[in-house]
């Protein structure tokens, strides 16, 4: 009499292994909630106010005024002129920021330092210059461009000049920091070879470091130009000119149709900047 076979599959399915880190994850979630709750209370965040009957009625009335968007020839001419002013403010601000960023990047990027070649110890003067440049970049990017614009409007008066200088100051600090980090994290073989063979720092940057990081640098620069366009619109609300100043005037008059047209133009403007960024990245890849 043969022994009956026992099937390898008896209908029992093994339970999936438990996550060994579940206690730590729960503890981190609880810690985050305990930490964020006082901040939520202090910020007085009350989203239910948006669903108040009076708020909903005012929102519906305002949004209804968006349709149809303003499309008269006279108004469209004003929008085109203001849009061009916004692009000019952002572009000139970025250009001035780059003028200050390039020498600052050379100063703060240790990989491009001739004094530290071969593991040599840097002198006190070189350390002081580098730290001063880093603290200057911290100062410039710590103050938002809107705050710079508020200060500069009081100094140079209303108009695009305040917006251009505000973007140049803030973005010089941002670009200098990120450019230095990109160059520090790139392959250093080419730039180190040039420096070790007596090349200057500018040549090492142009022929060694930039080819390795060109795509990332260009992508970040165009992204910052896109941010500068958005920033120039915001600064228009404090008198720095451009599309933002026209939007502020329309808001004060509760002209929803004019706001709708300018918002459409603004979205198209940002989309065009994104397209330029993609095109440049493809050319550099």
């Amino acid at each position: 009499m043969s022994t009956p076979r026992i099937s390898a599959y008896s209908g029992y399915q093994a339970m999936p292994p438990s996550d060994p880190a579940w206690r730590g994850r729960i503890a981190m979630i609880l810690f985050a909630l305990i930490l964020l709750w006082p901040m939520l209370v202090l910020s007085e965040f009350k989203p239910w106010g948006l669903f108040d009957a009076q708020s909903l009625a005012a929102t519906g009335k305002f949004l209804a005024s968006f349709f149809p968007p303003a499309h008269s020839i006279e108004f469209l001419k004003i929008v085109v002129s203001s849009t061009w002013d916004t692009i000019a403010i952002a572009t000139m601000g970025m250009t001035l920021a780059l003028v200050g960023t390039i020498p600052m990047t050379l100063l703060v990027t240790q990989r491009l330092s001739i004094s530290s070649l071969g593991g040599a110890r840097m002198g006190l003067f070189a350390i002081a210059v580098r730290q001063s440049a880093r603290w200057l970049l911290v100062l410039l990017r710590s103050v938002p461009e809107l705050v710079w614009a508020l200060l500069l409007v009081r100094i140079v008066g209303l108009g695009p000049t305040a917006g251009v200088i505000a973007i140049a100051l803030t973005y010089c600090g941002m670009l200098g920091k990120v450019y230095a980090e990109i160059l520090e994290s790139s392959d250093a073989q080419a730039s180190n070879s040039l420096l070790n063979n007596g090349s200057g720092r500018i040549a090492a940057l142009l022929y060694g470091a930039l080819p390795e990081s060109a795509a990332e640098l260009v992508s970040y620069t165009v992204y910052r130009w896109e941010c500068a366009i958005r920033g120039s619109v915001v600064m228009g609300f404090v008198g720095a000119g451009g599309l933002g100043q026209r939007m502020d005037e329309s808001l004060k008059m509760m002209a929803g149709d004019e706001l709708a047209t300018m918002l459409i133009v603004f979205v198209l403007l940002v989309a065009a900047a994104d397209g330029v960024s993609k095109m440049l990245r493809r050319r550099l890849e």
Side-chain angles (χ1 to χ4, degrees), residues 47-58:
W48 51 85
L50 296 172
F51 303 100
D52 180 75
Q54 186 176 357
S55 298
L56 288 175

Side-chain angles (χ1 to χ4, degrees), residues 60-278:
K61 184 179 180 181
F62 183 56
L63 291 179
S65 66
F66 277 45
F67 303 98
H71 53 276
S72 65
I73 300 299
E74 295 78 9
F75 179 71
L76 290 179
K77 288 180 180 179
I78 294 173
V79 171
V80 169
S81 175
S82 300
T83 302
W84 177 247
D85 289 342
T86 296
I87 296 173
I89 291 169
T91 305
M92 285 307 303
M94 281 292 296
T95 302
L96 291 178
L98 287 171
V99 170
T101 295
I102 293 172
M104 297 288 279
T105 302
L106 288 170
L107 286 175
V108 301
T109 306
Q110 188 170 355
R111 179 167 290 173
L112 298 175
S113 175
I114 299 174
S115 58
S116 62
L117 285 175
R121 189 172 182 179
M122 294 180 61
L124 292 177
F125 178 75
I127 294 175
V129 170
R130 177 164 295 160
Q131 289 301 323
S132 299
R134 286 176 176 170
W135 279 109
L136 179 58
L137 291 177
V138 170
L139 173 64
L140 291 175
R141 69 175 179 269
S142 296
V143 181
E145 61 266 33
L146 182 60
V147 177
W148 283 122
L150 282 168
L151 296 174
L152 290 164
V153 162
R154 269 71 178 174
I155 298 172
V156 300
L158 299 174
T161 302
V164 171
I165 300 175
I167 290 174
L169 292 174
T170 300
Y171 282 55
C172 179
M174 292 180 179
L175 292 171
K177 177 182 182 295
V178 178
Y179 281 4
E181 290 179 351
I182 292 173
L183 294 173
E184 291 281 5
S185 61
S186 63
D187 187 7
Q189 184 176 359
S191 57
N192 285 343
S193 298
L194 289 169
L195 290 172
N196 286 322
N197 286 282
S199 170
R201 296 173 69 181
I202 296 179
L205 173 68
L206 294 176
Y207 300 107
L210 283 183
E212 295 288 337
S213 309
E216 194 170 357
L217 289 170
V218 169
S219 178
Y220 182 75
T221 303
V222 177
Y223 166 71
R224 274 296 154 195
W225 177 63
E226 178 186 325
C227 293
I229 291 175
R230 294 199 298 267
S232 63
V233 172
V234 175
M235 287 185 293
F237 283 83
V238 298
L243 196 60
Q245 192 164 342
R246 296 295 180 186
M247 293 179 72
D248 183 45
E249 294 170 359
S250 297
L251 270 173
K252 289 176 179 177
M253 295 186 298
M254 297 297 290
D257 56 343
E258 296 181 359
L259 279 172
T261 300
M262 287 185 280
L263 287 173
I264 292 171
V265 171
F266 185 51
V267 171
L268 294 175
L269 194 60
V270 174
D274 185 60
V276 171
S277 176
K278 289 181 180 178

